[in-house]
């Protein structure tokens, strides 16, 4: 039986590079986002995570679903699948690492290998669409 980890991700692209986060004590970079809390909608969770991790306020009316991706969860037992629902959005504020986030960087496609398995699928999809 497969075990699913349900997560949300915020895709932000500038100059064909995607915003990535490095959490304190981690060696793998992730697309920013996280898990929803009890009774949160996707938009509510995404807005909360963006504020907690990136110090920005997503504009609710600009949030658009990009897609859903599934892959083996990094650092979890075989068969643990992360299901990543991705969104794009505009925001107010200045991108600044906060909470458990140590660094923010914009990655070109060539740095895909530094990210988690599910992020590899997202990198490939963005590249196929000419966004990276």
């Amino acid at each position: 039986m497969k075990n699913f980890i349900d997560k949300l991700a915020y895709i932000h692209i500038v100059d064909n590079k995607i915003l990535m986060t490095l959490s304190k004590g981690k060696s793998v970079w992730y697309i920013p986002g996280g898990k929803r809390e009890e009774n949160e909608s996707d938009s509510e969770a995404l807005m909360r995570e963006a504020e907690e991790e990136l110090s920005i306020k997503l504009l609710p009316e600009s949030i658009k679903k990009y897609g859903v991706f599934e892959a083996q969860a990094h650092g979890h037992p075989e068969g643990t699948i992360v299901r990543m629902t991705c969104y794009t959005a505009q925001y107010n504020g200045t991108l600044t690492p906060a909470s458990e986030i140590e660094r923010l960087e914009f990655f070109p496609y060539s740095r895909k290998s530094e990210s988690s398995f599910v992020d590899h699928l997202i990198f490939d999809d963005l590249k196929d669409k000419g966004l990276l």
Side-chain angles (χ1 to χ4, degrees), residues 49-97:
E49 288 285 352
E51 197 161 353
E52 285 176 7
E53 295 185 354
L54 309 172
S55 311
I56 58 172
K57 289 194 183 302
L58 297 183
L59 305 177
E61 67 281 2
S62 73
I63 296 173
K64 292 185 177 55
K65 190 169 186 177
Y66 177 82
V68 180
F69 300 85
E70 292 181 359
Q72 170 64 36
H74 189 86
H76 288 268
E78 188 66 38
T80 303
I81 306 298
V82 65
R83 178 180 287 143
M84 189 82 82
T85 306
C86 301
Y87 292 87
T88 60
Q90 302 302 310
Y91 65 87
N92 283 329
T94 302
L95 289 168
T96 309

Side-chain angles (χ1 to χ4, degrees), residues 93-109:
T94 302
L95 289 168
T96 309
S99 186
E100 74 273 13
I101 305 301
E102 187 176 314
R103 288 170 55 202
L104 303 176
E105 280 187 37
F106 282 90
F107 277 27
Y109 181 78

